[in-house]
Amino acid sequence: MEKKELLSCRGISKRFGSTVALDGVNLRLMSGDIRGLVGENGSGKSTLSSIIAGVQLPDAGEMERNERPHKPATMLDAQANGIAMIVQETGTVPGITVAANIFIGKEDQFSRGGILRLRAMMCAAEKALGRIGVTDIAPNASIDSLNFEDRKIIEIARAMYAEPDILIVDETTTALSQRGRDILYRIMREMASQGKGVLFISHDMDELMQVCNSITVLRDGQLVANLAREEMELNRIRTLMVGRELSDDYYRADYDGSYSPEVVLEGKHITVGPMLENFSFELHAGEILGIGGLTDSGMHDVGRAAFGACKLLTGEVWSRGKRIHSPQDAISVGVGYVPKNRDTDSIILDASIQDNIVLPALKGLSHHTCITPSSERTLAQKGIEGLSIKCREREQDVRDLSGGNRQKVAVAKWICNDTQIYIMDCPTRGIDISVKAYMYQLIYRLKKEGKAIMMISEEMAELIGMCDRIMVLKDGKVTKTFERSETLTETSIIHYMI
């Protein structure tokens, strides 16, 4: 099949105040392309994709779609021109049904005489879900009853209902388990085989190498390189992204898996619904304990249970002689928790950096029930400087930060509360390579200071690279525990996960 140009962007520029987000960027998307768009946080990836999708207008430059000018003023304009976009953040509307979310803005097609034909909408929604291979989500279910991943699947169904020629996927896979990723990968490949195109933004280098047939690299708002499939080499892409050589060994260099005999956090015979059953663990001072498995293995329930954030059907959690029933109990004995879903469970997006950092420490800052503004400012500044958070000011909303800097805020609030025990669920999810390396260095530093870290991760490479012990879960039960070793490989572990 002869390739044709689906989209052309020439000289696209965009500024936000004094910040140059895009500086004369060129991009071509051809039929059959699954083009990865990569770069560190702040490189301009999301800005470029949002301009193509009609979310915002460029300051300069021009776009063509099928050799005609493409000037979308809104997302609806772009959709009418065959372009759909799925984003990382939640894009569903609460309080309404699955079907209403799929057809939001398109209700007229189900109206007759001003009356909405609900049955017709439900049938159409069922077909839309079936088209992407989903049969276990009811169209009449409330969107609020779905978990975060299933809500993202609804967004995929909504995007694909319009049968776009171009699909933009902006870091959506960070919210998906392997099931959700497989659905999206299949859609992307089908589109490519039909002569359509995909623009795929992701921080996951492995999935980019697996799915894409070309890659565009941005750095500091400028185009650095366009790579064909045969030119896509992992270290080369990383070097182009950061502008310098970046070796693979940004994990720990040592293989000393020793830690203190002191147990600082212990779970005994924990059962949390069907996904975690009779699970026990011991976390020691100075230890990085890895919890690994497939997404639905129950490993994420371990973190919530250890922090007192979910009800236990059986078992108990103890720390320093105190039983943990709630997050308040956990915080009182020096336990901090960084959940997997950062933007919904870990930070308050519409609050300032300062308010987020000081929140767990408010009790410690109070003096005779009063908290002085100066003490809050001092603590927030300590967190900002200590974790090198890139921001304009302490009062800046966390929503305005990049993913990597949001994650730093999520960790800084516990460090500034003198936390001794850290539960980190997917601590490097959705952050770029440089911040990832920074997080690994920080975790190792905490270990050397005698802190205890439980690292829950879906990435075997970081578990092997960082942990003193790794507990592997399958169907809510431990199948194997590995000690730190130079010979430990992903192949050794995956047998016990599947």
Side-chain angles (χ1 to χ4, degrees):
M1 183 187 297
E2 184 179 350
K3 288 202 169 191
K4 68 172 185 176
E5 185 178 87
L6 298 176
L7 177 73
S8 172
C9 304
R10 295 190 294 272
I12 302 298
S13 297
K14 183 70 178 179
R15 298 177 68 97
F16 297 99
S18 60
T19 302
V20 179
L22 292 172
D23 185 10
V25 171
N26 300 323
L27 175 76
R28 293 178 77 207
L29 185 68
M30 307 296 291
S31 59
D33 268 2
I34 302 177
R35 176 167 291 276
L37 186 57
V38 305
E40 294 193 281
N41 286 322
S43 62
K45 309 182 299 295
S46 292
T47 302
L48 179 60
S49 63
S50 66
I51 288 172
I52 295 169
V55 177
Q56 53 190 341
L57 299 172
D59 294 334
E62 57 186 22
M63 296 183 288
E64 285 187 356
R65 168 91 174 87
N66 290 335
E67 300 181 351
R68 295 181 178 179
H70 177 58
K71 300 179 180 179
T74 66
M75 287 189 74
L76 291 176
D77 286 347
Q79 289 169 11
N81 206 9
I83 298 176
M85 182 177 182
I86 311 165
V87 298
Q88 181 181 17
E89 293 80 14
T90 302
T92 52
V93 178
I96 60 177
T97 65
V98 166
N101 264 281
I102 292 175
F103 297 114
I104 197 160
K106 301 182 178 74
E107 296 86 354
D108 286 351
Q109 62 184 289
F110 303 105
S111 296
R112 180 178 296 170
I115 298 173
L116 183 64
R117 295 179 298 144
L118 283 175
R119 180 173 293 182
M121 178 186 279
M122 295 298 165
C123 289
E126 189 172 15
K127 289 179 182 178
L129 289 166
R131 193 178 300 168
I132 65 169
V134 176
T135 59
D136 59 345
I137 299 177
N140 61 352
S142 168
I143 198 74
D144 300 329
S145 69
L146 305 186
N147 61 31
F148 188 69
E149 177 182 17
D150 284 345
R151 292 198 297 272
K152 298 308 294 182
I153 289 174
I154 299 309
E155 293 176 45
I156 295 171
R158 181 172 63 205
M160 296 311 299
Y161 178 77
E163 298 184 354
D165 291 329
I166 297 173
L167 178 65
I168 302 173
V169 181
D170 189 354
E171 296 191 38
T172 305
T173 52
T174 60
L176 300 176
S177 68
Q178 194 58 50
R179 168 187 174 250
R181 290 185 181 212
D182 287 342
I183 290 171
L184 193 53
Y185 296 160
R186 186 182 68 250
I187 289 169
M188 291 161 66
R189 289 178 174 129
E190 285 176 357
M191 289 188 67
S193 69
Q194 295 165 2
K196 299 179 179 182
V198 179
L199 198 58
F200 185 34
I201 301 174
S202 174
H203 284 303
D204 188 330
M205 290 289 114
D206 290 334
E207 74 172 355
L208 287 164
M209 299 295 285
Q210 172 191 342
V211 177
C212 298
N213 54 24
S214 60
I215 278 181
T216 293
V217 184
L218 298 179
R219 185 173 70 238
D220 298 329
Q222 297 182 329
L223 174 67
V224 176
N226 286 307
L227 304 177
R229 178 72 203 179
E230 60 273 14
E231 300 173 305
M232 288 165 50
E233 195 275 320
L234 193 56
N235 283 336
R236 180 183 184 187
I237 295 170
R238 286 175 170 170
T239 300
L240 288 168
M241 286 170 61
V242 300
R244 63 183 187 280
E245 291 290 336
L246 185 64
S247 67
D248 266 331
D249 66 350
Y250 46 71
Y251 302 120
R252 289 169 59 179
D254 72 294
Y255 290 95
D256 175 16
S258 62
Y259 43 81
S260 167
E262 180 190 4
V263 176
V264 294
L265 186 66
E266 181 179 12
K268 301 177 181 179
H269 309 295
I270 297 169
T271 299
V272 181
M275 297 310 300
L276 190 66
E277 183 179 355
N278 197 30
F279 176 77
S280 299
F281 71 90
E282 289 184 347
L283 176 63
H284 300 76
E287 179 186 20
I288 304 175
L289 172 63
I291 308 291
L294 300 179
T295 300
D296 58 358
S297 65
M299 63 179 180
H300 301 297
D301 288 325
V302 173
R304 290 189 287 269
F307 191 61
C310 63
K311 184 177 180 179
L312 306 185
L313 299 181
T314 68
E316 50 195 39
V317 178
W318 291 79
S319 179
R320 305 181 188 279
K322 180 172 182 175
R323 186 172 176 181
I324 295 175
H325 297 276
S326 66
Q328 291 73 25
D329 290 341
I331 294 170
S332 71
V333 290
V335 181
Y337 176 42
V338 182
K340 175 184 176 182
N341 294 322
R342 173 182 61 233
D343 290 355
T344 55
D345 301 336
S346 186
I347 52 179
I348 304 171
L349 292 176
D350 292 323
S352 68
I353 298 168
Q354 175 171 304
D355 287 345
N356 272 275
I357 289 177
V358 304
L359 187 60
L362 288 176
K363 186 175 181 180
L365 290 175
S366 63
H367 181 68
H368 300 304
T369 71
C370 294
I371 301 173
T372 63
S374 63
S375 64
E376 291 186 285
R377 288 195 298 269
T378 300
L379 191 68
Q381 195 61 37
K382 175 185 174 184
I384 291 168
E385 294 174 359
L387 275 82
S388 302
I389 298 170
K390 294 181 181 179
C391 60
R392 297 190 304 271
E393 56 185 359
R394 293 186 306 273
E395 289 76 22
Q396 183 179 351
D397 282 353
V398 173
R399 183 181 295 280
D400 297 336
L401 302 180
S402 67
N405 284 297
R406 290 182 188 181
Q407 187 71 350
K408 287 183 178 182
V409 171
V411 175
K413 71 179 188 180
W414 298 116
I415 289 180
C416 289
N417 195 39
D418 195 27
T419 297
Q420 300 298 306
I421 303 164
Y422 293 81
I423 302 167
M424 298 186 172
D425 193 343
C426 296
T428 63
R429 172 179 171 265
I431 61 178
D432 63 43
I433 293 170
S434 293
V435 181
K436 226 175 189 183
Y438 179 91
M439 292 302 298
Y440 294 143
Q441 293 164 9
L442 174 63
I443 290 168
Y444 187 57
R445 189 182 80 211
L446 292 171
K447 168 190 164 61
K448 300 304 285 185
E449 292 172 355
K451 309 293 197 304
I453 303 99
M454 177 187 286
M455 178 188 278
I456 303 164
S457 178
E458 298 167 7
E459 296 186 30
M460 283 188 287
E462 72 178 7
L463 290 173
I464 293 169
M466 293 301 301
C467 297
D468 299 304
R469 285 188 300 141
I470 303 171
M471 300 179 74
V472 182
L473 274 70
K474 177 185 175 183
D475 299 329
K477 298 177 182 177
V478 178
T479 54
K480 183 76 172 178
T481 299
F482 291 92
E483 303 291 333
R484 183 165 186 79
S485 167
E486 191 172 359
T487 60
L488 185 59
T489 65
E490 293 188 25
T491 305
S492 308
I493 296 176
I494 198 165
H495 171 72
Y496 295 93
M497 295 170 58
I498 298 174

